[in-house]
Structure formats: structure tokens, C-alpha cells
Amino acid sequence: MAHKGTLLVTGGAGYIGSHTVRHLLEIGEKIVVLDNLVFGHREALPMDRISFVEGDMSDATLMEQLFTEHQPEAVLHFAAFAYVGESVTDPLKYYRNNLAAPLVLLETMQRHGCKRFIFSSTCATYGNPVYVPMNEDHPQAPVNPYGASKWMLERVLRDCDHAWGLKAVFLRYFNASGCDPSGEIGEDHDPETHLIPRILMAATGEIPEISVFGTDYPTPDGTCIRDYTHVCDLASAHAKALCYLRTGGETTPVNLGTGRGFSVKEILQTAESVTGKTIPVTYGPRRAGDPPELICDPAKAKAVLDWEAQYKDPRSHLQHAWQWMTSAGKGRYPR
Ligand code: UDP
């Protein structure tokens, strides 16, 4: 095993970042988190076990200080905005935060000779599916600025590899869901737009009902099908990607998903069974930009990273998320 240095985790106080930090600590990694706490939560992090820098990766002075002090061996880059709808109405916000800001991070990495990068990319870089399950060779034609900003950064990373030998893994996540089985950390977005937390919010009465966006899709029950990937599985994939880079892996994209799809109605039925509650539902029109079906082909993740999802059944995602929602904090970090 190659020498283990400090890992810089940008956006480590966010949903997927904080679960990954927890996993990396469990396997003995040393971590510095950079987070501006715009969407992240201080309470999602074990502050006594990590170094924490509050700030922005677009702050060149701060980045220089951070790299001088901690000399990170690799960067795991989670920090990004991720509201697809907002990216359509305010594209510059997305290109500034998801594309321009990481350039300062990369410039600092280049100066300091840090050449390992694990990037939180997304299946949204593919745009509308031409076929499912989708492998990494699927054409990339993003249909919104969020997906485009991630796709463009992938291109930047390839060019950095060509120019100065940066090695990157683009982890293209499918639908992240669930939370740590302990119920101690979880998903807390404001506003919350994702299906599983909204269903559970309807179950607790925090919102009056869940609206199903479209029942006329060309799927068996008419509702959209997604590949729900447990956040702890995503976390373990980052550790595998790190191992891949430490042992000389080349720059490459890897899809992260289970390879199985579930419809909105199936998720709803499972949520009723897990919570033991009747969940109030309304059936509404389609949401703009939602493809009928997104399913990952995880073969490359298995072949290249030796990774496969452990939580393939969304029932476990719902059970863990329900535990978080019904914990003392009721699914919220202190504000
Ligand atoms: N969805 C829904 N009602 C909601 C939120 C989501 O019917 O309140 C549907 C959405 O149309 C999609 C699926 O649930 O088909 C997953 O949506 P989510 O926003 O969780 O993730 P996305 O697929 O957009 O990344």
C-alpha cells in the first residue's frame, strides 16, 4: 500500500461528503475538510477527529494556506450546488460554483504537486438516456446547467491530466439516498426536493402530502424509475477510488449505482410498509427534465474499483432514512 497522506475533502459537511468522511475515518484516514457551510452542517462532522477549515475553494489565499499547512495527498471534491431546477434559472451561479471555483483548487493542487482527485460527478452528465442500463460509454449530452457544469469539470480534469499528470476518478452517482444506519447523520437539505426524504416528511406530517410527478411515463406503472444508491455505498466507493489512484490508476469515469431500478410508486409502497403509516399522495403532472428511467450499469465499478453496492434494496435506504427522520433531531441538524 502506498503512503497514506492527509486527504482534503471539499464539501465534507454536506450529505454525501459527511458520510464519506465518516467512512474514511473508520478506515484510518487523516482528513481536512473544507466547507463554506452554505449547505453543509458543522454537526455532520466529528470535529474532534478531523481538521476543519471554514471557507471557499475560490479563495486563492485560503487555498494556499491550506495546502501549505496540510499538504494533502489527494482531494475528494464534493462541494457543489445540486438543484437542477435552480441551475436552469440561474446558470451562472452553477458555472461559478461548480466550474470556476474548482479551478482555483486545481491551480493550488498543481502548484503543490498534488495529483490525485476524486470528483463527485453525476449521471446528469449523460442527459436523456439513449439506453439503459447506462455504462460509462453512454453519450454525454447534459440537458441542464447542473449536469453541464459537472461534465465541463470532467473535461478540465482530463486536460489537467494531459498537461501535468493529474489523475482523477469521475464518480458518476445515480440517485443518492438513505443515511448512516446509526441514524446519527443524514440528509438535511433546505429546500428538500428529493423523493425519499419528501415521502418521509409526508409520513411525519412535516409536509401535508407527497406529489408524484407524472403517472404517464412509458414504464410498467407509469411513474419514473431510478437507481437509488445508498449513501454509505457511495462513501465506500470513494475509499476504493482512492486505493485505485494510490496504486497508479489512470484518469477514468466510473458509474456508481446498484444496477436496479425502482418506480416512484414502488418507493411509496415500501415507505408505507417501513413507516407503518398511510402516506398522503397526490398525482400531479410531470416535472420538466425528468427522464422516464435512469439505471446504472455498475460493471465497470466492479471491474476497476472492486466496488459493488451492498444496500441494493431501497427498503434499507428507507429504514435508515426513517431512523434519521424520527431521531431526536427529527432529520434536521441544529440551525
Ligand atoms: N419525485 C416525485 N415527487 C417529489 C420528488 C421527486 O414524484 O416530490 C420523482 C421525480 O420526478 C423523479 C424521482 O422522484 O422521477 C426521483 O427524484 P429526485 O428529485 O429524488 O431525484 P432526481 O432523479 O431528480 O435526481
Side-chain angles (χ1 to χ4, degrees):
M1 171 58 70
H3 167 72
K4 280 184 167 187
T6 299
L7 306 174
L8 169 59
V9 181
T10 75
Y15 169 46
I16 305 172
S18 61
H19 283 81
T20 304
V21 166
R22 193 176 170 108
H23 179 69
L24 292 171
L25 287 172
E26 275 166 14
I27 60 171
E29 298 288 350
K30 194 172 168 213
I31 290 173
V32 54
V33 167
L34 172 75
D35 201 298
N36 60 14
L37 299 178
V38 169
F39 286 116
H41 306 276
R42 200 180 279 279
E43 295 75 12
L45 289 168
M47 288 297 185
D48 52 333
R49 298 181 63 200
I50 59 164
S51 299
F52 180 74
V53 178
E54 183 173 347
D56 208 289
M57 71 198 138
S58 62
D59 181 341
T61 310
L62 179 69
M63 296 310 295
E64 183 57 32
Q65 277 170 2
L66 191 158
F67 272 74
T68 303
E69 184 178 345
H70 295 280
Q71 299 184 9
E73 168 219 337
V75 175
L76 292 90
H77 176 54
F78 295 90
F81 292 153
Y83 290 109
V84 169
E86 184 188 47
S87 83
V88 175
T89 53
D90 196 352
L92 294 180
K93 180 172 175 180
Y94 279 69
Y95 289 118
R96 175 164 298 285
N97 194 61
N98 294 3
L99 183 63
L103 299 185
V104 181
L105 167 65
L106 286 165
E107 283 163 352
T108 318
M109 289 178 69
Q110 183 182 9
R111 268 200 313 282
H112 286 260
C114 178
K115 295 187 180 176
R116 293 177 186 147
F117 198 90
I118 298 173
F119 176 40
S120 299
S121 190
T122 165
C123 63
T125 61
Y126 295 121
N128 291 322
V130 178
Y131 57 83
V132 291
M134 299 160 89
N135 60 18
E136 292 78 2
D137 296 328
H138 188 285
Q140 284 184 295
V143 292
N144 52 62
Y146 166 67
S149 69
K150 294 277 184 176
W151 170 68
M152 288 179 196
L153 193 60
E154 287 191 1
R155 175 58 202 255
V156 169
L157 295 169
R158 284 187 198 280
D159 290 343
C160 290
D161 183 3
H162 182 73
W164 50 275
L166 176 75
K167 300 300 172 197
V169 182
F170 318 146
L171 295 176
R172 296 183 184 148
Y173 310 152
F174 282 65
N175 286 58
S177 58
C179 66
D180 193 80
S182 68
E184 288 169 12
I185 58 173
E187 187 168 12
D188 179 4
H189 296 116
D190 187 16
E192 185 53 78
T193 61
H194 294 109
L195 180 68
I196 288 180
R198 285 190 68 81
I199 286 177
L200 298 180
M201 285 159 76
T204 62
E206 192 179 333
I207 58 172
E209 65 201 11
I210 177 78
S211 172
V212 172
F213 299 147
T215 52
D216 59 350
Y217 282 98
T219 58
D221 69 18
T223 65
C224 285
I225 291 175
R226 294 289 179 271
D227 186 331
Y228 293 92
T229 313
H230 197 288
V231 67
C232 292
D233 282 329
L234 294 181
S236 70
H238 288 76
K240 299 266 186 175
L242 185 64
C243 182
Y244 166 83
L245 289 179
R246 279 176 172 161
T247 50
E250 289 295 329
T251 295
T252 200
V254 179
N255 286 347
L256 295 181
T258 66
R260 299 189 195 178
F262 294 87
S263 74
V264 173
K265 278 190 182 163
E266 285 174 318
I267 297 291
L268 255 167
Q269 281 158 7
T270 311
E272 292 200 326
S273 149
V274 165
T275 62
K277 292 178 186 282
T278 303
I279 297 171
V281 186
T282 54
Y283 294 94
R286 293 181 177 196
R287 182 172 70 177
D290 273 340
E293 199 173 10
L294 287 172
I295 301 176
C296 172
D297 176 350
K300 185 172 173 186
K302 178 74 182 158
V304 172
L305 301 185
D306 187 30
W307 174 89
E308 102 181 88
Q310 300 302 306
Y311 297 107
K312 289 200 176 119
D313 184 344
R315 170 172 283 269
S316 57
H317 308 204
L318 283 154
Q319 278 165 340
H320 299 157
W322 184 237
Q323 201 159 315
W324 163 243
M325 292 286 289
T326 52
S327 67
K330 299 202 178 330
R332 296 283 177 209
Y333 293 108
R335 293 287 196 272

